């Protein structure tokens, strides 16, 4: 495989799609060696077929705001790859959403979903709609208008969306409600639904819980334990909440959370009612964390800064892509961070990852660490298909097993001769091999 040639061709076809090209480059660099050991892959042009989405749906979303004014947004669904199962992946509502971001997310999702071992292909969707400051009624009307543009492409065996940034249980409920009305079927074509209409127990917690199970495995691999560790978390949404909840339950101390306005340092730890307060902060819809330091005076608010300047044992980026850059990584390493587990998708820039790998700091990528979210979505699909509901313990046990298994796959493909585990390489190779083999088995299509 000539990586430079493939990337140059992609760049010429999709100029300026920097997040997408970044995600593709990372995977290609990791799988180059195994790919070259399989001439049949090259013959079938597996890489060229895998880096291009199967299909992209783009649509106008028109809705009326509370002042009676007509608003227009763009909606997208990137159906990336369905070699392993129906298209599956979240919907993101954020002002920054564009095709490059959704293509990178759909590409990553394909390998992540393969790692879960459940039958799910990869997809991602969303809109440049910003939920910040919108009323409940505006959110509902937007969700309904979004589904009007997308519903024909969805279905439990076709494409199953869920939440992501800006889309939680409330938005999934509104979207699924409109979808159900249009197809006249209660078929579970969304995951992350409310518990009263087909949702799975533990799905809200799953991304954060799964991430901490993965961190436990990483620590156990080096004969260590999470008890007493200090943890820096970024973000304050659903993922940061679940991670903080489980880290605290396991005996670690989470000392930071963050928002677009800056970060909070709480030396006493974000625990107990403070974890619930994150949910309250999120529900205000203002997208700021500053009020935490007013409510809890032991905490300090650092406006416009990121938590990676604090000395901690474990760093858990839980906010968004490229939130840890080279300089942040250098600060973390200088302060002796023991491990960095990305819970956000592609949370670290390539420069940050290089800094971790060169200093032999343990680093694991989002597609492994955060796979518990979509894995539990897969479990929700199973429950819907069987028309039953598992207990929280059943779902949590399965999630635990899945995360352990992903860790084992990463070690299998990522262990280097000196014993250092390159989790990025391990996750990318394991995910790639499964997707490649599934595509090979289904012919040239
Ligand atoms: O990035 C992700 O894996 C998600 N936003 C969850 C996707 C899903 O289908 O549950």
């Amino acid at each position: 495989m000539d990586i430079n040639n493939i990337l140059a061709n992609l760049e010429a076809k999709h100029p300026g799609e920097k997040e997408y090209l970044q995600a593709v480059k990372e995977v290609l660099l990791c799988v180059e060696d195994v790919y070259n050991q399989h001439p049949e892959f090259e013959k079938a042009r597996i890489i060229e077929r895998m880096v291009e989405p199967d299909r992209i749906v783009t649509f106008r979303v028109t809705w009326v705001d509370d002042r009676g004014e007509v608003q227009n947004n763009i909606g997208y669904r990137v159906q990336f790859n369905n070699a392993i199962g129906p298209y599956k992946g979240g919907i993101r509502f954020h002002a920054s959403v564009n095709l490059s971001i959704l293509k990178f997310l759909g590409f990553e999702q394909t390998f992540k979903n393969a790692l879960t071992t459940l039958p799910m292909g990869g997809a991602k969707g969303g809109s440049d709609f910003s939920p910040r400051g919108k009323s409940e009624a505006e959110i509902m009307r937007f969700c309904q208008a979004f589904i009007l543009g997308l519903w024909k492409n969805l279905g439990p065996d076709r494409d199953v969306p869920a939440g992501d940034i800006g889309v939680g249980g409330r938005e999934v409920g509104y979207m699924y409600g409109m979808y159900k009305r249009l197809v006249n079927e209660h078929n579970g074509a969304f995951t992350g639904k409310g518990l009263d209409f087909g949702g799975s127990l533990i799905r809200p917690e799953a991304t954060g819980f799964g991430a901490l199970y993965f961190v436990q495995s990483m620590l156990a691999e080096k004969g260590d334990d999470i008890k007493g560790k200090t943890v820096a978390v970024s973000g304050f949404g659903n993922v940061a909440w679940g991670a903080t909840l489980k880290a605290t339950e396991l005996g670690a101390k989470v000392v930071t959370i963050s928002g677009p306005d800056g970060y909070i340092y709480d030396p006493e730890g974000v625990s107990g009612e403070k974890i619930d307060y994150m949910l309250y902060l999120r529900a205000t819809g203002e997208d700021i964390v500053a009020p935490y330091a007013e409510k809890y005076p032991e905490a300090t608010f650092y406006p416009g800064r990121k938590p990676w300047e604090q000395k901690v044992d474990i760093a858990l980026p839980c906010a968004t892509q490229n939130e840890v850059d080279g300089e942040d990584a250098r600060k973390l390493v200088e302060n002796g961070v023991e491990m960095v587990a990305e819970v956000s998708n592609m949370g670290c820039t390539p420069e940050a990852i290089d800094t971790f790998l060169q200093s032999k700091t343990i680093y694991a990528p989002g597609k492994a660490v955060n796979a518990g979210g979509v894995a539990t979505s897969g479990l929700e699909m199973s429950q819907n298909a069987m028309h039953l509901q598992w207990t929280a313990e059943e779902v949590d046990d399965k999630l635990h097993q899945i995360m352990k298994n992903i860790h084992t796959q990463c070690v299998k493909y990522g262990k280097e001769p000196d014993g250092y585990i390159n989790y990025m390489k391990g996750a990318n190779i394991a995910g790639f091999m499964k997707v490649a083999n599934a595509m090979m088995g289904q012919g040239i299509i």
Side-chain angles (χ1 to χ4, degrees):
M1 155 167 60
D2 183 346
I3 292 189
N4 289 334
N5 194 27
I6 293 174
L7 285 171
N9 279 337
L10 269 191
E11 227 161 324
K13 269 194 245 177
H14 309 293
E17 295 190 357
K18 60 183 199 312
E19 293 86 2
Y20 162 64
L21 295 165
Q22 176 188 341
V24 170
K25 187 172 181 183
E26 179 200 299
V27 171
L28 295 196
L29 286 173
C30 287
V31 305
E32 185 174 20
D33 289 347
V34 288
Y35 190 80
N36 287 334
Q37 289 158 16
H38 290 269
E40 72 278 17
F41 289 171
E42 177 86 34
K43 194 158 180 289
R45 293 280 182 263
I46 285 289
I47 284 288
E48 287 85 343
R49 289 158 57 195
M50 205 184 265
V51 299
E52 206 60 67
D54 288 350
R55 182 177 305 99
I56 298 175
V57 185
T58 313
F59 47 100
R60 173 175 53 78
V61 185
T62 298
W63 55 287
V64 180
D65 70 18
D66 286 348
R67 291 166 305 168
E69 283 180 24
V70 176
Q71 299 287 342
N72 284 298
N73 289 96
I74 312 178
Y76 309 90
R77 185 71 175 167
V78 180
Q79 296 183 331
F80 221 101
N81 187 298
N82 68 353
I84 294 179
Y87 299 112
K88 179 84 196 89
I91 300 269
R92 177 175 293 192
F93 291 162
H94 193 269
S96 65
V97 163
N98 58 36
L99 201 47
S100 170
I101 289 178
L102 295 179
K103 280 171 70 179
F104 117 65
L105 288 163
F107 181 73
E108 293 272 301
Q109 197 80 44
T110 303
F111 302 102
K112 181 198 308 192
N113 294 4
L115 285 173
T116 68
T117 68
L118 301 175
M120 299 181 287
K124 204 85 189 191
S127 174
D128 59 354
F129 169 78
S130 171
R132 187 188 277 180
K134 300 291 190 301
S135 73
E136 173 95 23
E138 286 175 326
I139 300 260
M140 182 170 76
R141 287 198 296 275
F142 178 79
C143 288
Q144 292 173 338
F146 182 85
I147 287 303
L148 265 182
L150 185 61
W151 68 280
K152 284 190 178 158
N153 300 283
L154 306 179
D157 297 315
R158 180 174 294 161
D159 185 351
V160 184
D164 194 76
I165 292 170
V167 177
R170 176 179 66 173
E171 290 75 15
V172 165
Y174 292 151
M175 285 192 276
Y176 183 62
M178 187 62 166
Y179 167 82
K180 190 196 69 177
R181 190 87 180 149
L182 289 161
V183 298
N184 193 19
E185 274 178 26
H186 202 305
N187 60 21
F190 269 79
T191 62
K193 300 184 292 299
L195 288 180
D196 298 320
F197 52 96
S200 174
L201 287 156
I202 305 294
R203 179 63 190 88
E205 294 88 348
T207 310
F209 279 22
L212 266 294
Y213 298 151
F214 195 88
V215 166
Q216 276 188 304
S217 293
M218 289 163 83
L219 286 163
E221 184 71 25
K222 60 199 279 290
D224 204 349
D225 185 80
I226 194 166
K227 262 206 185 72
K229 304 273 185 203
T230 51
V231 181
V233 163
S234 63
F236 70 111
N238 165 264
V239 173
W241 166 78
T244 303
L245 193 62
K246 186 52 89 176
T248 307
E249 191 187 307
L250 295 174
K253 184 156 90 170
V254 174
V255 291
T256 68
I257 57 168
S258 73
D261 55 332
Y263 80 92
I264 294 288
Y265 178 72
D266 185 343
E268 291 178 16
V270 183
S271 62
E273 64 158 60
K274 293 170 174 177
I275 302 178
D276 298 333
Y277 185 69
M278 286 166 76
L279 296 177
Y280 167 80
L281 270 181
R282 175 59 58 190
T284 65
E286 286 178 50
D287 213 10
I288 50 171
V289 288
Y292 184 106
E294 287 158 34
K295 187 163 168 65
Y296 302 107
E298 62 273 27
T300 310
F301 174 60
Y302 292 91
R305 286 160 65 169
K306 296 193 266 182
W308 318 124
E309 60 191 21
Q310 292 291 340
K311 181 175 166 50
V312 289
D313 301 314
I314 301 172
L316 300 179
C318 295
T320 193
Q321 68 274 354
N322 291 328
E323 57 173 312
V324 180
D325 63 20
E327 202 183 320
D328 299 324
R330 278 188 289 280
K331 274 189 233 158
L332 284 167
V333 171
E334 267 165 37
N335 282 329
V337 74
E338 190 179 342
M339 61 177 56
V340 180
E342 250 178 33
V343 196
S344 44
N345 290 309
M346 205 166 77
C348 298
T349 65
E351 201 192 344
I353 297 172
D354 281 348
T355 305
F356 298 136
L357 296 185
Q358 270 164 28
S359 59
K360 301 269 170 190
T361 303
I362 299 176
Y363 156 77
K367 62 171 77 72
V369 179
N370 74 28
V374 72
T376 307
S377 278
L379 300 176
E380 183 169 329
M381 290 165 72
S382 305
Q383 292 168 78
N384 291 165
M386 290 190 290
H387 303 282
L388 49 75
Q389 190 167 52
W390 291 330
T391 63
E393 290 69 33
E394 257 177 296
V395 179
D396 198 30
D397 279 354
K398 288 186 167 65
L399 169 63
H400 218 131
Q401 271 313 313
I402 289 168
M403 297 314 295
K404 272 193 184 155
N405 178 271
I406 296 175
H407 183 266
T408 305
Q409 293 182 67
C410 288
V411 174
K412 178 177 164 195
Y413 290 104
K415 197 166 200 160
E416 295 182 343
D418 65 357
Y420 175 75
I421 299 163
N422 184 335
Y423 283 92
M424 172 179 69
K425 199 168 167 197
N428 282 327
I429 296 178
F432 167 79
M433 285 306 286
K434 180 155 182 191
V435 180
N437 285 327
M439 288 173 71
M440 290 299 290
Q442 294 171 62
I444 309 296
I445 47 167

